[in-house]
Structure formats: C-alpha cells, structure tokens
Amino acid sequence: MTFASDARATSAIRATGLRCEYVSNPIGLDEMRSRFSWVVDHPERGQRQTAYQILVASSLQKLSRNEGEMWDSGKVESSESTNIVYSGRPLESRQVYYWAVRLWDKEGRPGPYSGAATFEMGLLQEEEWGASWITAPETISGAPLLRKEFVVHGFPERARVYIAGLGYYELRLNGQKVGDRVLDPAQTDYDKLVLYATYDVTRMIQPGRNGIGVILGNGRYSPPDVVVERNPGDLRKYGRTPVLILQLYLLFSDGTSMTITTDETWRAALGPIVFNDIYDGEVYDARLERPGWDMPGYDDSEWQPAVRASDPPKGKLVSSAAYPPIKITKTLPAREITSPRPGVYVVDFGQNLTGWVRLRASGPRGAEVRVRYAEILNPDGTLNTAPNRSAKATDVYILKGEGEEVYEPRFTYHGFRYAEITGLAGVLTTWSVEARVVHSAVSEAGGFHCSNPLINRIHELVRWGQVSNLMSVPTDCPQRDERMGWMGDAQLTAEEAIHNFDMAGFYTKWIDDIKHAQGKDGSVPSVVPPYWSKFPADPAWGTACVTIPWYVYLYYGDRRILERSYAVMQKWVAFLEKSSKEHIVGGQYGDWCPPGHVRSVDTPVELVGTYYYYHDTLRLSQIARVLGRESDAKMYAEKAEQIKEAFNKAFLREGRYVSLGEQWYLRLIPETAPEDEKRRQAEEMAKVFGVYSQTANVFALSLGLVPDQHRQNVVDTLVHDITVIHGHHLNTGIVGTRYLPDVLTEHGHAELAYRLVTQTTYPSWGYMIKEGATTLWERWEYLDNVGMNSHNHIMLGSIDAWFYRVIAGIRLAAPGWQKVHIKPTPLGDLKHAGASVHTVRGLVASKWVRRDREFVLQAAIPTNVEAEVWVPKLGMRQVVVREGGAIVWEKGQLASGAVPGIVSGREERDHVVFEVGSGQYEFVLTGE
C-alpha cells in the first residue's frame, strides 16, 4: 500500500513486524488502550529511530490518504518502538481499525509509512452479550452436539463468531471445522474468568440456509465424577455439564446486520464422544456419528431442545485475542513398531511429547481399538504406565465398519513417547499411525548451537520439555493425574522460556490468573489456576507473582504488566512479612528434588523461604522505582536490608553459610527449656553439626547477601563442596540449580560450571540423556516404578538460559533490549557456538569460532539498539582486532580511522570491548 506522503520520505528507515498487544492483526481485542509495537529496519550501521508518528483510521481508504481520524499521534520525539499506548478516540465493539507508522532516523530524516496493519475489537461491554449460556439436557451424556440453522440473504461483508464452550469446544459451520484451535478455551478459574475466542467466518457463510454446530467437552470445567473422586488432589469441579455461549454477528454492505445467539431454540443430541477427560482419555463410538449434523437441511426433529444453564459460569467473559491458543504444531511419524505380545503393537515416536495419536484403522462394526500412552517401557517392551499414576491415558475408538476410518481425539491430551495399540483387525504399519504434537502455539524466538553435541542435546531436551508444558498454563508435567500450573516450575524456567519462545502473551494471561487466585490475606497458591487448593504457596513458588511480571518487563519492555501487578506483589510481600518470625520465613517445598531426595536434607525450607522473602522485597523495591514510587522503593529497600541482616544472622557461620542453623536446631530442643538455654544449645549444635550445602552458599552469593569480607570464603566453600565433596557434581534441587551456573560464572568459575553441565554421570543432565531421555526428568534419578517419576518435567530446564547468556554471550543490558551485550565465554572443549533471539526490537545474534591464535566473533544488532561487543583475548598478548578486514584495535587502543557503527573501544582485563550501533559485525582477534 502506498501512502500520499511516501514521496517526502528521505530516509530508508522503516517499521516492520507491526503488532498490537504482541499479536499481528488481532481480532476480538477488548483492551481499550491497546499498545502498538514494531521493529525498526535500516540498511545502514549505527542507525536508530529518533521519532515516530502513528496513524489509526477506521478504513483503509482513510489511512491511505494519511487520515488518522481515530488517532494521529503527530511526530513524537522518541526512540521507543514497543508498547506505545493508543491515545485516540474511544474504540467501538466489533470495529476493525487500520494503522501504520512512520519513523525518523538519527539525522532527523523521515522514512516512508509502513504497510497497513489492523486490529479489531471484540465485545467491549457485558450487555453486548445477547446470548445465553446453554447446555444439553441431563439425559445426554458424553460430549453433546448442539446445532442451529439460520437463513442469510446475500453474502455478508463481515461475519464473526464470539464463543466460549466449557470445558472445551469444537466449532463447526456448514460442515467444516472453524479455525485451527484445539483444547479451547484456555484454562482459567472459571468462577473468576472465562475466555472467549473470536473467529472470522465471513467466507464460510453462504446465501440461504446455514448450519452451525458445536461439540462440547468436559475439560477442567466439568471433569467426570469418577475422575474427581480418584484424583490425588482436591480436584475442583465447576459445573455438572459442559456449557456454551455463542454469538454470531453478520454485517452487510448496506449497513444492516443480524445476530445469532445461543438460546433454547438450539437443538441437542448425543454425539460419538461418549466419554472424555484430560487424564483418562476419550471414548469415541463411530457408530453414533450423525453425518451432516453441522450442515443446513439436517433433520434434527428427534433432537432435544437445548436448555439454559441453571448454574452458568460466574467468571467474567474476557477476550483471548492477545493470548496464544493451543494448536497442533507438528506431526511426527512412527519411528519404530514392536509387538511384545500377539495383537499388541507398541509404537515408538522417538520423542517424549504432548498430544495424541492419529490412527487409520479398518475392521468390523463395533470392534474396539484401544490406544494407551506412556513415557517409558518395561524391560519386556510393554508399556510402563507408572508415571501416569491414576490417569488411564487411554483413547478408545469403536469402528463403524465402513472401510478405512481415521481417528484422533478432541477433548483430551497425553504425555507420551510410546503408544500401545490393540484391537486392530489387521497389522499396524508406520503408515497408519502418527503423533500429533499439541501445545500453546508460542512462536519460536531463539535458537542455540555449539560444537559440543551433549550441550546441543540438553538444549533440545529443554525445548521439548518446555513446549510440552505450555498448555495455556505452565504445567509441571503432561502425563499423570496432575498437569497443574505449579508456580515454582514456571518462575524457575521463565528466562529459559523467554529466550526460546515468544512468551509475552502467554505470561500476560497467566499473570492475570495469578491475580485472580490471590487470597484476601495476600497469599497466592502454589498452583494457578487453583484446581488444587494449595494455599499458601511456598515462597519459592509464590515468588512467581513478582518474578514473572519482572521478566516480562525486562524482556518485552512491558511497564504496564508491572503497574497492573503491583498491588498483587505488595500484598504478597506483606503476607510474607506477616508469616515471618524475626524476618525468617518457612515453607513447604524448599529446594525441591535434590539428588537422591524429594525434599532437601541439607537445605532447610527456612533458608529458601527467607531467601525469597529477601528476593521479592528487593525486587519490589526495584519495581517501585521503575514505576516512580520512590517512597515505596525506599521502604522496601530498607526492609530488604533488615531481611538480609536476619538471613546472615541465622545462617552465616565463620565465613560460610550453614544451611542447618540455630533456627533448625531449635526444633530439637524441648519447649520446656528456658529461652536463653534453648538458644545456647541451638547455637552450639549449629556450630558442631552445621551443614554447608551448595544451595545455601549459592543463594547467599546470587543476590549479594554475603558481606564483602566473607565473599571469597563462601565462594571457596561452594567450589570445595562441588569439586571435592561431590566429585565435580552438583547437589542442588530445582531452586539451587537455577542459580548455580550463574553464580559460578560471576565469581570466576565458569569452567567449573561448564564441567557440571557436561557431566554424563549421575547426577547431571548428561546422565538423563545417557539413560535415553528426550525431555528432562522430574528427578535427577532414573525412576520407573517408584514415587515421583515424571519423565517430562521442565523445572530443571533453567540451565538453557545460561547457554544463551554465557556460552553464546547474548545478554540483556537494558529493559526491552534497548541495549545488549554480546559477551561470549569460550569454555572447555568448545570450538564454536552461536545463538539468536528474536527480541521485541529485532534479531540479536552472536556466533563465535576459536582457532589457534585467533578468535572470530560475529554479532547482529537490530536497528535502534545499542550494544557492547566483548571480544575475549583468550590469554593472548599484543592483540589486534579487525572488523570487516580493517584494523579497529591495535597497540592497546582504538585504531585511527572511522569504521561505520563502531563508537568506541576499551580494554577490560581479558576482553577488548567495542561500543557499537546497529548492524552486522565480524570481529577477528589475533595475537601472540
């Protein structure tokens, strides 16, 4: 599209990748102050945006004439390119808006307008929902079918469906499925929030009669009673039966419109899905299929009228337009098929994943084909379903006997690598079975690779484990009778997830879930949404309400998420304060799952809880400062100092951190003893029996809790414990592991961190791989039939962020990637490494190769971003650095003669550091 002012453009600077609320051309938004973002593009090095102008119009014609009648920001002197808040005329429901932006470069020259982007509003007022919540009569079990026919005179100019079906739904129109979402809507606390989707069905509407149909599934809203009763937790059930609300809006070229809504005129019947549950699976009886039920002209005279839901969901209807929906993202072929017993086929897909099997089968009418799912096998090649616990994880397909039939479930999902298939009339082949990979469709943001194959495998395990546990909430596991949004797992791996995937919309949604879950006393649950009641959260879990909004701010430049979460954070920190005794806070889980244990035996929950009390209070001080709340910032900083003092008083002994200090030993002394005597005995016991755990010393070092005079002793204690006591192995649970590599790196022991990462003996990530893992385990141990033994947990995946930041060297240096440091660390046997991250400001990349007496570093810096590039000298002297063939560093100083993009240079111990602007660079360092 050409704009009238393009002829006046004098610069090549332009905006690309236009997004509104992190989404490209969203439909159905209900955010009245939506935000705009773009990526700045310019072919020259060192360029930046100095100003922008946004136009928003109600028609493409107006926008093409540069008429931003909804909003014309005018020329705004600013380098900001993310989350610019709409500040125009009030937006209206169901309206489509068109927007474009033009930029000015560092010389003040304007570029052309971008291409046009759109955003469309959903239903902004509650009263605009004319539809009613309906359900099938109670005589209809399983997944009911609901349908309605309507007549349209002519083709509509625009047609939209607004729908929420709980627990899950599939929308069909004139014989076709609408959209590519599955397991929709996203999981929420349905008493607080229900998410609706908006679909563009303009091209699916036909003149004359039309048929619209919906299949409803149980999901989290109305799980079967048998599952609720058997579940190991207090599994929540919101409604007796699945429910539906739907509104179809059609707008015609003459300005008239019509609306179809759910009410008692809809018809209901039993469908072929006679049972469905996310844990137990689905039973599909193809004999009960009703061909044409979702088409016009179908005879539904024997169907029953739908009924209004007697107890409809209490939650507010909110649009899901800004959140990534769950989709089928990949299809994997069968890698191998074995038959451990006659008629029993076990399919190995070669990868632990989340989703289901799609099967082609034929046989007599009424024959049952069963698909059971598992992560591991028994020694005899049969399924080992122990990790599933009470989840049956079984799909049943009953054939209709009409040649080849194709089946895949709709309203369940499984965590599995292996599928056992029985009941086939013929022989199973690799052509007739495949795995469908299902998860929240977050787009890929980053990639990493290096010369060490083991590290590359760890990276892949982390990525697969991460997407396996993105099911509209960040779950702990996908295979067993749990699959909950555990806050600890999510906060520990958030930076890893952000480096690998676009998590902005996903986390924004889940942070809202946390807000709705907070109790009146300020506590938050360990599980969000609270399908299990786990109040109050362990501090290492509850910290997610502070930590994840902070990461969204840091990595996406999202100040609003801090503003909207601030009250939640304040209440949480106040709850921790009320729960503390002399600034010491306890907990339930602590450093969960260290080697050989579920609960740590050498790091008490008080140490972990107090650390996170300090962490959250200190972080809240920083957040208050970002938001301009200086008095709050000062108050929380002072409080953090008090907690720091208490932490050191409780756990610092003789220059080292004793993880079992007086607070722990006080519990062993009879309550009847005098207070002074109890303290004296506890101090003596701590002095004699104190344990120096890796996690205790890691925590103290990670946030600067250690007094300066003791820092080296603490570092030495940590290194000694790793190298001597544990033979160059870690001994940390999920919480200590999160910080261990970074702490070692920051205190001069990056090589030791690398050695830990590349271990292949227990406990290590390499040990998991050696034992056949394709996703990370819940435990450091290989477990099959004992206790907690998930083979697809993400909580130990935090290491992947270290690969990006330390090995490849991509380091965020200012919120929203306004500034970046490229500072790779060549370690161990690594010959080369590289990574890239699609940030909110464009692609950041770092690739390096080391050879004899030479180090090559390539860096890509987006337009409008400043960077420092740290080129390691690798112990060489008299180094010379060339960039693009030209000498830029020689004899300890920046060489004379300007090189585009390079602003300055300096030496920092073992590095030559260049301050650069945007562009692609190749630095070649040589020396003696």
Side-chain angles (χ1 to χ4, degrees):
M1 178 176 118
T2 303
F3 287 84
S5 64
D6 282 0
R8 299 200 300 271
T10 58
S11 172
I13 194 170
R14 63 191 183 99
T16 63
L18 275 62
R19 291 189 171 194
C20 179
E21 290 299 319
Y22 299 115
V23 180
S24 176
N25 302 324
I27 67 169
L29 286 175
D30 56 8
E31 175 57 66
M32 293 294 289
R33 289 173 57 80
S34 295
R35 297 166 300 174
F36 304 119
S37 301
W38 57 86
V39 172
V40 184
D41 182 69
H42 198 292
E44 295 176 5
R45 281 185 175 180
Q47 269 292 348
R48 66 180 186 274
Q49 167 193 312
T50 57
Y52 66 81
Q53 182 179 11
I54 298 173
L55 299 179
V56 180
S58 59
S59 72
L60 191 58
Q61 293 75 18
K62 290 179 180 178
L63 189 67
S64 65
R65 297 194 300 267
N66 292 354
E67 295 179 17
E69 98 281 8
M70 293 301 298
W71 185 40
D72 182 345
S73 70
K75 182 180 179 181
V76 179
E77 305 285 345
S78 171
S79 64
E80 192 53 74
S81 60
T82 63
N83 294 314
I84 309 300
V85 179
Y86 173 80
S87 301
R89 294 166 56 185
L91 301 171
E92 298 181 13
S93 292
R94 302 189 301 270
Q95 296 303 305
V96 180
Y97 297 100
Y98 301 81
W99 70 286
V101 59
R102 67 169 172 170
L103 313 175
W104 281 258
D105 66 15
K106 68 178 183 181
E107 285 83 21
R109 301 171 301 182
Y113 274 101
S114 66
T118 64
F119 65 100
E120 180 180 332
M121 306 310 292
L123 302 178
L124 302 179
Q125 305 298 327
E126 187 175 351
E127 55 267 23
E128 291 177 301
W129 281 94
S132 301
W133 284 102
I134 64 171
T135 186
E138 291 189 4
T139 55
I140 297 174
S141 59
L145 309 180
L146 295 161
R147 74 179 305 271
K148 184 179 178 65
E149 291 192 21
F150 58 95
V151 177
V152 175
H153 300 291
F155 290 100
E157 184 178 274
R158 190 190 319 154
R160 301 290 187 265
V161 173
Y162 308 94
I163 179 174
L166 300 178
Y168 295 132
Y169 69 90
E170 179 175 297
L171 173 64
R172 303 187 67 82
L173 181 59
N174 293 332
Q176 300 178 45
K177 179 182 175 180
V178 178
D180 58 357
R181 297 176 177 223
V182 297
L183 302 178
D184 203 60
Q187 299 178 31
T188 57
D189 181 345
Y190 307 113
D191 281 348
K192 305 289 181 63
L193 183 71
V194 175
L195 296 178
Y196 73 86
T198 305
Y199 293 96
D200 180 353
V201 295
T202 307
R203 296 185 179 182
M204 300 180 73
I205 299 293
Q206 59 193 24
R209 297 197 70 81
N210 290 261
I212 188 168
V214 177
I215 315 171
L216 289 178
N218 293 324
R220 290 288 193 186
Y221 180 75
S222 55
D225 289 338
V226 64
V227 175
V228 174
E229 293 165 5
R230 193 184 65 237
N231 195 267
D234 51 342
L235 186 63
R236 193 164 180 182
K237 181 169 181 170
Y238 291 84
R240 296 195 313 274
T241 60
V243 292
L244 168 69
I245 191 168
L246 178 150
Q247 201 151 300
L248 168 61
Y249 172 78
L250 300 100
L251 177 67
F252 299 93
S253 57
D254 62 359
T256 61
S257 65
M258 68 179 291
T259 303
I260 308 298
T261 63
T262 44
D263 55 25
E264 293 96 330
T265 65
W266 284 59
R267 308 287 286 175
L270 173 65
I273 302 174
V274 297
F275 177 88
N276 69 98
D277 174 64
I278 64 169
Y279 299 134
D280 280 5
E282 184 175 288
V283 179
Y284 187 100
D285 189 343
R287 298 171 300 179
L288 300 178
E289 289 179 345
R290 300 175 182 270
W293 74 275
D294 52 0
M295 296 281 288
Y298 177 79
D299 182 5
D300 61 8
S301 59
E302 294 185 357
W303 289 38
Q304 300 181 54
V307 297
R308 288 179 184 264
S310 59
D311 187 19
K314 300 179 181 65
K316 180 182 178 182
L317 280 165
V318 173
S319 172
S320 63
Y323 312 142
I326 298 174
K327 295 184 179 182
I328 299 168
T329 62
K330 290 183 179 69
T331 301
L332 299 184
R335 175 175 292 187
E336 182 183 17
I337 298 177
T338 58
S339 181
R341 296 172 186 163
V344 176
Y345 299 95
V346 174
V347 186
D348 180 3
F349 293 101
Q351 175 62 55
N352 203 338
L353 59 97
T354 302
W356 53 72
V357 160
R358 180 163 65 181
L359 178 68
R360 293 172 175 83
S362 58
R365 182 177 178 83
E368 292 189 5
V369 178
R370 305 178 73 85
V371 184
R372 292 200 306 148
Y373 300 83
E375 297 183 307
I376 55 177
L377 299 178
N378 293 312
D380 64 356
T382 58
L383 287 196
N384 182 338
T385 59
N388 298 348
R389 292 199 308 215
S390 72
K392 292 184 178 179
T394 302
D395 296 329
V396 180
Y397 181 74
I398 303 173
L399 280 78
K400 57 190 170 185
E402 298 179 4
E404 185 179 77
E405 303 176 37
V406 181
Y407 168 69
E408 59 182 304
R410 284 180 172 87
F411 301 135
T412 189
Y413 75 92
H414 310 283
F416 67 102
R417 172 176 173 171
Y418 303 96
E420 175 199 86
I421 300 175
T422 57
L424 292 173
V427 174
L428 185 69
T429 69
T430 56
W431 292 89
S432 56
V433 61
E434 53 196 357
R436 307 280 262 172
V437 180
V438 177
H439 55 81
S440 292
V442 290
S443 58
E444 185 173 324
F448 171 87
H449 200 270
C450 70
S451 60
N452 187 318
L454 176 61
I455 291 180
N456 295 335
R457 286 291 298 135
I458 296 171
H459 172 64
E460 286 303 308
L461 262 65
V462 171
R463 286 170 60 88
W464 273 102
Q466 184 63 74
V467 295
S468 295
N469 286 290
L470 297 180
M471 298 299 285
S472 77
V473 299
T475 61
D476 59 323
C477 62
Q479 78 295 104
R480 68 189 182 207
D481 49 3
E482 187 168 350
R483 313 180 200 185
M484 295 289 174
W486 285 96
M487 303 250 279
D489 306 46
Q491 69 92 1
L492 292 168
T493 57
E495 281 194 291
E496 163 271 307
I498 288 169
H499 280 86
N500 283 304
F501 304 102
D502 181 355
M503 299 295 293
F506 184 94
Y507 281 148
T508 299
K509 179 264 178 191
W510 196 57
I511 290 166
D512 209 27
D513 291 333
I514 296 173
K515 184 187 306 181
H516 287 298
Q518 188 168 38
K520 292 181 179 179
D521 62 353
S523 67
V524 294
S526 289
V527 169
V528 173
Y531 299 135
W532 284 350
S533 180
K534 296 287 184 182
F535 282 93
D538 182 286
W541 275 244
T543 185
C545 74
V546 176
T547 298
I548 293 185
W550 176 249
Y551 285 149
V552 173
Y553 164 70
L554 281 184
Y555 286 96
Y556 301 106
D558 194 331
R559 193 173 183 273
R560 175 184 285 177
I561 205 74
L562 299 183
E563 294 170 343
R564 294 184 174 179
S565 303
Y566 190 70
V568 174
M569 302 178 200
Q570 283 188 302
K571 293 173 186 175
W572 166 245
V573 169
F575 172 79
L576 291 177
E577 182 177 15
K578 286 183 291 185
S579 304
S580 68
K581 184 177 181 180
E582 297 180 357
H583 300 299
I584 300 298
V585 175
Q588 299 91 44
Y589 308 122
D591 194 24
W592 192 247
C593 287
H597 303 277
V598 173
R599 298 179 185 273
S600 179
V601 297
D602 61 9
T603 305
V605 293
E606 289 86 356
L607 187 144
V608 178
T610 305
Y611 169 82
Y612 274 105
Y613 178 28
Y614 174 73
H615 172 280
D616 292 354
T617 305
L618 182 65
R619 189 71 75 215
L620 190 51
S621 173
Q622 294 173 293
I623 291 168
R625 189 160 289 112
V626 169
L627 299 179
R629 300 171 180 259
E630 293 301 328
S631 61
D632 281 3
K634 181 180 178 183
M635 175 189 68
Y636 288 121
E638 291 173 351
K639 189 171 294 183
E641 283 299 311
Q642 295 170 4
I643 302 167
K644 178 179 181 178
E645 182 179 339
F647 183 90
N648 286 322
K649 180 180 178 182
F651 303 111
L652 180 61
R653 293 291 177 274
E654 300 179 359
R656 297 174 179 84
Y657 281 84
V658 182
S659 56
L660 301 184
E662 291 98 325
Q663 294 295 326
W664 193 90
Y665 288 106
L666 276 170
R667 297 181 296 189
L668 304 180
I669 301 169
E671 288 288 336
T672 55
E675 194 66 29
D676 290 347
E677 179 61 20
K678 284 197 292 186
R679 290 193 174 278
R680 188 194 67 76
Q681 290 185 34
E683 288 177 3
E684 186 64 26
M685 294 171 76
K687 184 176 180 180
V688 175
F689 301 110
V691 176
Y692 301 96
S693 79
Q694 291 179 15
T695 295
N697 290 285
V698 164
F699 274 0
L701 291 166
S702 68
L703 280 180
L705 282 159
V706 185
D708 291 344
Q709 68 270 27
H710 298 305
R711 184 171 293 108
Q712 192 57 52
N713 280 345
V714 175
V715 172
D716 292 344
T717 298
L718 175 61
V719 170
H720 180 267
D721 191 276
I722 294 170
T723 58
V724 177
I725 306 301
H726 290 94
H728 290 91
H729 287 81
L730 50 72
N731 190 41
T732 48
I734 61 172
V735 183
T737 300
R738 160 66 180 85
Y739 302 100
L740 178 59
D742 288 327
V743 164
L744 290 173
T745 301
E746 291 163 7
H747 291 85
H749 293 278
E751 287 288 354
L752 178 55
Y754 182 78
R755 184 165 179 177
L756 292 179
V757 170
T758 54
Q759 284 282 9
T760 58
T761 52
Y762 169 82
S764 66
W765 294 275
Y767 170 75
M768 297 185 193
I769 292 170
K770 189 171 67 173
E771 291 295 326
T774 60
T775 48
L776 296 180
W777 301 340
E778 182 177 23
R779 301 279 299 273
W780 290 110
E781 300 79 32
Y782 178 88
L783 298 175
D784 48 12
N785 291 309
V786 181
M788 289 169 38
N789 59 354
S790 164
H791 286 244
N792 193 348
H793 253 63
I794 190 54
M795 58 194 188
L796 290 170
S798 55
I799 186 60
D800 206 53
W802 186 81
F803 297 162
Y804 281 92
R805 287 197 307 258
V806 176
I807 292 180
I810 296 177
R811 307 187 185 201
L812 179 81
W817 296 94
Q818 297 175 71
K819 188 170 184 178
V820 62
H821 288 174
I822 304 297
K823 188 178 182 182
T825 311
L827 296 169
D829 57 355
L830 290 176
K831 301 301 181 185
H832 61 81
S836 60
V837 180
H838 288 275
T839 75
V840 288
R841 292 175 180 264
L843 182 69
V844 176
S846 171
K847 301 178 182 178
W848 59 263
V849 179
R850 62 170 164 180
R851 307 185 184 98
D852 186 34
R853 307 169 79 86
E854 182 181 75
F855 186 85
V856 180
L857 175 57
Q858 296 176 333
I861 310 300
T863 305
N864 210 35
V865 173
E866 299 176 353
E868 287 185 358
V869 179
W870 292 60
V871 185
K873 295 191 291 185
L874 302 181
M876 290 186 280
R877 297 174 299 172
Q878 298 180 2
V879 296
V880 175
V881 182
R882 291 176 172 81
E883 198 289 311
I887 294 176
V888 294
W889 184 267
E890 188 177 30
K891 298 179 180 177
Q893 61 184 7
L894 197 66
S896 59
V899 172
I902 298 179
V903 178
S904 66
R906 68 183 190 274
E907 264 186 295
E908 292 277 352
R909 294 187 179 179
D910 298 328
H911 293 80
V912 179
V913 184
F914 298 96
E915 184 181 348
V916 303
S918 62
Q920 297 191 26
Y921 300 86
E922 181 177 83
F923 294 96
V924 180
L925 180 144
T926 56
E928 299 179 359

